[in-house]
Amino acid sequence: MSKKQSNPAQGPAAPGRGGALHVSASKLRWGLLIAALGAILAATVTMAVTGFDTDKVEAHQPGAEPVVRDKEFSSAQQGDCLTWSKPDRSDLVKVNCGDKHLFEVAGVIDLSAYPGREFATGTRHPDSLRMTELRDEHCVTAVQKYLGGRFDPRGKYMVNVMSPSPAGWGNGDRTLRCGVQVGGTASSPATTGSIADPATGQSKVHAVGTCLGINQNLPTDPIDCAQPHSVEIVGTVDLGNHFTGGPPSEADQDKYVEAECNRLSSEYLGSPDAIRNKTLTMFFDVLEPTSWLADSDQLDCWLGKGADREGFAPIVGSARGEILIDGQAPVPPPNSGRSTPAPLPGAAPLPPQPQPR
């Protein structure tokens, strides 16, 4: 899946890709994926090893030591939504999925049924690498099963795993909660609505006017546009309103999304010349068949500036007003249309001439 770009700043020719911008579309996409994978790993480590200091309940089994479990965590079942506010998650509670929450349970895995003695009584809590493996072994499948195979791996949600608190683990609790949370590079933001409800949607889109931060020339989480950022969201294209049936081809998507993004950007900025005058470029993505089949049919239109090598240059300020790119005010490129001759003395003034775009 490659990032597309439309660059009105190149002159009067129809918007195209590449041109004066030295941005490698394929490398840009891989950079974004690497950043996303890093975020998933970081979130997994936090989820797996941070405990809960909630009330405990004991589960007695004949002939065995009592298993001490975290009350809220151990009672969470498939379809439950969980949230917390403290960094140690000691205030974890179940809430209605229509309310703000941080995690939705897709399945419960009992490691006590795992063959061998890896998770037997008295064993240590698995380290972050092993928890990542357990997530990949069990939770990806659990989420796909929970959603009937309609999970978008490139959407706004990521698969994760939650484990018992250290106290719960030390007292015999071997249950994991597989589920989903909203992906983020710093922390997972809250969401509303169940992922199992088609009306919730899985498309990774943002509100119009949102700016995404920048780290190593790549987009990060939403940030105030007055702060250095990589791109600004100027609109969202719903491909489901245009295409029906199976996944549309990349060429058909390109043609439709590029036209829609240019239209939306002109409406957002108030002028079709604004992108060119601010030396910005329109970027957009393409939907993979896996996303389309999961009913993820929306794409953001991004306004940004390609860096000299790859990725994005830092921008300060909203594109609707004055901006700085790499600390400098943009200089509009000269018009490259045909020159208009000066009128002869006494001749009537020429009518207004169309401006090149």
Side-chain angles (χ1 to χ4, degrees), residues 254-271:
D254 286 351
K255 182 179 179 180
Y256 177 66
V257 176
E258 183 170 5
E260 285 295 288
C261 282
N262 280 307
R263 178 183 65 81
L264 291 169
S265 67
S266 295
E267 293 177 356
Y268 181 78
L269 300 176
S271 167

PDB file of all heavy atoms in Angstrom, residues 254-271:
ATOM      1  N   ASP A 254      -7.185   5.783  -7.404  1.00  0.00           N
ATOM      2  CA  ASP A 254      -6.351   6.963  -7.596  1.00  0.00           C
ATOM      3  C   ASP A 254      -7.123   8.082  -8.287  1.00  0.00           C
ATOM      4  O   ASP A 254      -7.088   9.239  -7.859  1.00  0.00           O
ATOM      5  CB  ASP A 254      -5.124   6.615  -8.450  1.00  0.00           C
ATOM      6  CG  ASP A 254      -4.098   5.809  -7.684  1.00  0.00           C
ATOM      7  OD1 ASP A 254      -4.247   5.667  -6.454  1.00  0.00           O
ATOM      8  OD2 ASP A 254      -3.152   5.318  -8.318  1.00  0.00           O
ATOM      9  N   LYS A 255      -7.807   7.740  -9.347  1.00  0.00           N
ATOM     10  CA  LYS A 255      -8.522   8.743 -10.131  1.00  0.00           C
ATOM     11  C   LYS A 255      -9.602   9.424  -9.300  1.00  0.00           C
ATOM     12  O   LYS A 255      -9.731  10.667  -9.315  1.00  0.00           O
ATOM     13  CB  LYS A 255      -9.135   8.081 -11.370  1.00  0.00           C
ATOM     14  CG  LYS A 255      -9.867   9.044 -12.291  1.00  0.00           C
ATOM     15  CD  LYS A 255     -10.411   8.307 -13.511  1.00  0.00           C
ATOM     16  CE  LYS A 255     -11.180   9.259 -14.431  1.00  0.00           C
ATOM     17  NZ  LYS A 255     -11.718   8.542 -15.624  1.00  0.00           N
ATOM     18  N   TYR A 256     -10.349   8.632  -8.564  1.00  0.00           N
ATOM     19  CA  TYR A 256     -11.456   9.186  -7.774  1.00  0.00           C
ATOM     20  C   TYR A 256     -10.950   9.961  -6.569  1.00  0.00           C
ATOM     21  O   TYR A 256     -11.385  11.101  -6.318  1.00  0.00           O
ATOM     22  CB  TYR A 256     -12.375   8.057  -7.327  1.00  0.00           C
ATOM     23  CG  TYR A 256     -13.512   8.507  -6.443  1.00  0.00           C
ATOM     24  CD1 TYR A 256     -14.517   9.344  -6.930  1.00  0.00           C
ATOM     25  CD2 TYR A 256     -13.588   8.099  -5.111  1.00  0.00           C
ATOM     26  CE1 TYR A 256     -15.561   9.767  -6.120  1.00  0.00           C
ATOM     27  CE2 TYR A 256     -14.626   8.509  -4.292  1.00  0.00           C
ATOM     28  CZ  TYR A 256     -15.614   9.342  -4.799  1.00  0.00           C
ATOM     29  OH  TYR A 256     -16.639   9.760  -3.985  1.00  0.00           O
ATOM     30  N   VAL A 257     -10.025   9.373  -5.804  1.00  0.00           N
ATOM     31  CA  VAL A 257      -9.563  10.004  -4.572  1.00  0.00           C
ATOM     32  C   VAL A 257      -8.798  11.289  -4.867  1.00  0.00           C
ATOM     33  O   VAL A 257      -8.949  12.292  -4.160  1.00  0.00           O
ATOM     34  CB  VAL A 257      -8.706   9.025  -3.743  1.00  0.00           C
ATOM     35  CG1 VAL A 257      -8.150   9.709  -2.501  1.00  0.00           C
ATOM     36  CG2 VAL A 257      -9.529   7.807  -3.334  1.00  0.00           C
ATOM     37  N   GLU A 258      -7.987  11.289  -5.912  1.00  0.00           N
ATOM     38  CA  GLU A 258      -7.227  12.499  -6.241  1.00  0.00           C
ATOM     39  C   GLU A 258      -8.169  13.655  -6.569  1.00  0.00           C
ATOM     40  O   GLU A 258      -7.984  14.783  -6.093  1.00  0.00           O
ATOM     41  CB  GLU A 258      -6.287  12.245  -7.412  1.00  0.00           C
ATOM     42  CG  GLU A 258      -5.428  13.449  -7.751  1.00  0.00           C
ATOM     43  CD  GLU A 258      -4.324  13.127  -8.746  1.00  0.00           C
ATOM     44  OE1 GLU A 258      -4.280  11.986  -9.246  1.00  0.00           O
ATOM     45  OE2 GLU A 258      -3.518  14.024  -9.013  1.00  0.00           O
ATOM     46  N   ALA A 259      -9.191  13.379  -7.359  1.00  0.00           N
ATOM     47  CA  ALA A 259     -10.147  14.433  -7.711  1.00  0.00           C
ATOM     48  C   ALA A 259     -10.890  14.929  -6.476  1.00  0.00           C
ATOM     49  O   ALA A 259     -11.082  16.136  -6.283  1.00  0.00           O
ATOM     50  CB  ALA A 259     -11.127  13.912  -8.760  1.00  0.00           C
ATOM     51  N   GLU A 260     -11.302  13.990  -5.616  1.00  0.00           N
ATOM     52  CA  GLU A 260     -12.041  14.380  -4.411  1.00  0.00           C
ATOM     53  C   GLU A 260     -11.157  15.157  -3.439  1.00  0.00           C
ATOM     54  O   GLU A 260     -11.599  16.147  -2.835  1.00  0.00           O
ATOM     55  CB  GLU A 260     -12.611  13.137  -3.719  1.00  0.00           C
ATOM     56  CG  GLU A 260     -13.823  12.540  -4.417  1.00  0.00           C
ATOM     57  CD  GLU A 260     -14.996  13.502  -4.382  1.00  0.00           C
ATOM     58  OE1 GLU A 260     -15.578  13.695  -3.305  1.00  0.00           O
ATOM     59  OE2 GLU A 260     -15.320  14.081  -5.440  1.00  0.00           O
ATOM     60  N   CYS A 261      -9.913  14.723  -3.276  1.00  0.00           N
ATOM     61  CA  CYS A 261      -9.021  15.414  -2.346  1.00  0.00           C
ATOM     62  C   CYS A 261      -8.713  16.828  -2.825  1.00  0.00           C
ATOM     63  O   CYS A 261      -8.648  17.770  -2.015  1.00  0.00           O
ATOM     64  CB  CYS A 261      -7.723  14.625  -2.169  1.00  0.00           C
ATOM     65  SG  CYS A 261      -7.869  13.197  -1.055  1.00  0.00           S
ATOM     66  N   ASN A 262      -8.525  17.001  -4.119  1.00  0.00           N
ATOM     67  CA  ASN A 262      -8.284  18.345  -4.631  1.00  0.00           C
ATOM     68  C   ASN A 262      -9.511  19.233  -4.442  1.00  0.00           C
ATOM     69  O   ASN A 262      -9.395  20.423  -4.105  1.00  0.00           O
ATOM     70  CB  ASN A 262      -7.880  18.289  -6.095  1.00  0.00           C
ATOM     71  CG  ASN A 262      -6.422  17.922  -6.282  1.00  0.00           C
ATOM     72  OD1 ASN A 262      -5.536  18.539  -5.699  1.00  0.00           O
ATOM     73  ND2 ASN A 262      -6.165  16.900  -7.076  1.00  0.00           N
ATOM     74  N   ARG A 263     -10.695  18.659  -4.631  1.00  0.00           N
ATOM     75  CA  ARG A 263     -11.926  19.427  -4.405  1.00  0.00           C
ATOM     76  C   ARG A 263     -12.056  19.803  -2.934  1.00  0.00           C
ATOM     77  O   ARG A 263     -12.359  20.963  -2.589  1.00  0.00           O
ATOM     78  CB  ARG A 263     -13.134  18.607  -4.853  1.00  0.00           C
ATOM     79  CG  ARG A 263     -14.477  19.307  -4.615  1.00  0.00           C
ATOM     80  CD  ARG A 263     -15.647  18.412  -4.999  1.00  0.00           C
ATOM     81  NE  ARG A 263     -15.758  17.239  -4.168  1.00  0.00           N
ATOM     82  CZ  ARG A 263     -16.328  17.212  -2.957  1.00  0.00           C
ATOM     83  NH1 ARG A 263     -16.829  18.336  -2.443  1.00  0.00           N
ATOM     84  NH2 ARG A 263     -16.399  16.089  -2.260  1.00  0.00           N
ATOM     85  N   LEU A 264     -11.838  18.845  -2.059  1.00  0.00           N
ATOM     86  CA  LEU A 264     -11.973  19.093  -0.629  1.00  0.00           C
ATOM     87  C   LEU A 264     -10.935  20.096  -0.127  1.00  0.00           C
ATOM     88  O   LEU A 264     -11.221  20.927   0.738  1.00  0.00           O
ATOM     89  CB  LEU A 264     -11.848  17.778   0.146  1.00  0.00           C
ATOM     90  CG  LEU A 264     -13.009  16.786  -0.038  1.00  0.00           C
ATOM     91  CD1 LEU A 264     -12.656  15.422   0.544  1.00  0.00           C
ATOM     92  CD2 LEU A 264     -14.282  17.324   0.611  1.00  0.00           C
ATOM     93  N   SER A 265      -9.730  20.021  -0.671  1.00  0.00           N
ATOM     94  CA  SER A 265      -8.695  20.959  -0.242  1.00  0.00           C
ATOM     95  C   SER A 265      -9.033  22.384  -0.654  1.00  0.00           C
ATOM     96  O   SER A 265      -8.801  23.337   0.102  1.00  0.00           O
ATOM     97  CB  SER A 265      -7.335  20.555  -0.798  1.00  0.00           C
ATOM     98  OG  SER A 265      -7.299  20.695  -2.205  1.00  0.00           O
ATOM     99  N   SER A 266      -9.598  22.550  -1.856  1.00  0.00           N
ATOM    100  CA  SER A 266     -10.000  23.887  -2.304  1.00  0.00           C
ATOM    101  C   SER A 266     -11.094  24.451  -1.412  1.00  0.00           C
ATOM    102  O   SER A 266     -11.084  25.636  -1.060  1.00  0.00           O
ATOM    103  CB  SER A 266     -10.475  23.840  -3.762  1.00  0.00           C
ATOM    104  OG  SER A 266      -9.420  23.477  -4.633  1.00  0.00           O
ATOM    105  N   GLU A 267     -12.040  23.590  -1.024  1.00  0.00           N
ATOM    106  CA  GLU A 267     -13.102  24.034  -0.116  1.00  0.00           C
ATOM    107  C   GLU A 267     -12.537  24.375   1.256  1.00  0.00           C
ATOM    108  O   GLU A 267     -12.929  25.370   1.875  1.00  0.00           O
ATOM    109  CB  GLU A 267     -14.163  22.933   0.009  1.00  0.00           C
ATOM    110  CG  GLU A 267     -14.947  22.670  -1.269  1.00  0.00           C
ATOM    111  CD  GLU A 267     -15.942  21.529  -1.108  1.00  0.00           C
ATOM    112  OE1 GLU A 267     -15.954  20.915  -0.011  1.00  0.00           O
ATOM    113  OE2 GLU A 267     -16.690  21.245  -2.064  1.00  0.00           O
ATOM    114  N   TYR A 268     -11.607  23.567   1.738  1.00  0.00           N
ATOM    115  CA  TYR A 268     -11.031  23.768   3.065  1.00  0.00           C
ATOM    116  C   TYR A 268     -10.212  25.053   3.131  1.00  0.00           C
ATOM    117  O   TYR A 268     -10.284  25.806   4.108  1.00  0.00           O
ATOM    118  CB  TYR A 268     -10.152  22.564   3.424  1.00  0.00           C
ATOM    119  CG  TYR A 268      -9.517  22.625   4.787  1.00  0.00           C
ATOM    120  CD1 TYR A 268     -10.250  22.342   5.938  1.00  0.00           C
ATOM    121  CD2 TYR A 268      -8.168  22.952   4.933  1.00  0.00           C
ATOM    122  CE1 TYR A 268      -9.660  22.380   7.192  1.00  0.00           C
ATOM    123  CE2 TYR A 268      -7.570  22.990   6.182  1.00  0.00           C
ATOM    124  CZ  TYR A 268      -8.314  22.709   7.310  1.00  0.00           C
ATOM    125  OH  TYR A 268      -7.732  22.749   8.558  1.00  0.00           O
ATOM    126  N   LEU A 269      -9.434  25.316   2.078  1.00  0.00           N
ATOM    127  CA  LEU A 269      -8.554  26.478   2.070  1.00  0.00           C
ATOM    128  C   LEU A 269      -9.208  27.727   1.492  1.00  0.00           C
ATOM    129  O   LEU A 269      -8.673  28.825   1.627  1.00  0.00           O
ATOM    130  CB  LEU A 269      -7.283  26.161   1.285  1.00  0.00           C
ATOM    131  CG  LEU A 269      -6.440  24.997   1.817  1.00  0.00           C
ATOM    132  CD1 LEU A 269      -5.259  24.733   0.897  1.00  0.00           C
ATOM    133  CD2 LEU A 269      -5.955  25.286   3.230  1.00  0.00           C
ATOM    134  N   GLY A 270     -10.349  27.548   0.814  1.00  0.00           N
ATOM    135  CA  GLY A 270     -11.061  28.686   0.268  1.00  0.00           C
ATOM    136  C   GLY A 270     -10.599  29.140  -1.087  1.00  0.00           C
ATOM    137  O   GLY A 270     -11.111  30.133  -1.624  1.00  0.00           O
ATOM    138  N   SER A 271      -9.645  28.433  -1.681  1.00  0.00           N
ATOM    139  CA  SER A 271      -9.135  28.819  -2.996  1.00  0.00           C
ATOM    140  C   SER A 271      -8.427  27.636  -3.628  1.00  0.00           C
ATOM    141  O   SER A 271      -7.663  26.932  -2.960  1.00  0.00           O
ATOM    142  CB  SER A 271      -8.159  29.990  -2.868  1.00  0.00           C
ATOM    143  OG  SER A 271      -7.434  30.178  -4.076  1.00  0.00           O
TER     144      SER A 271
END
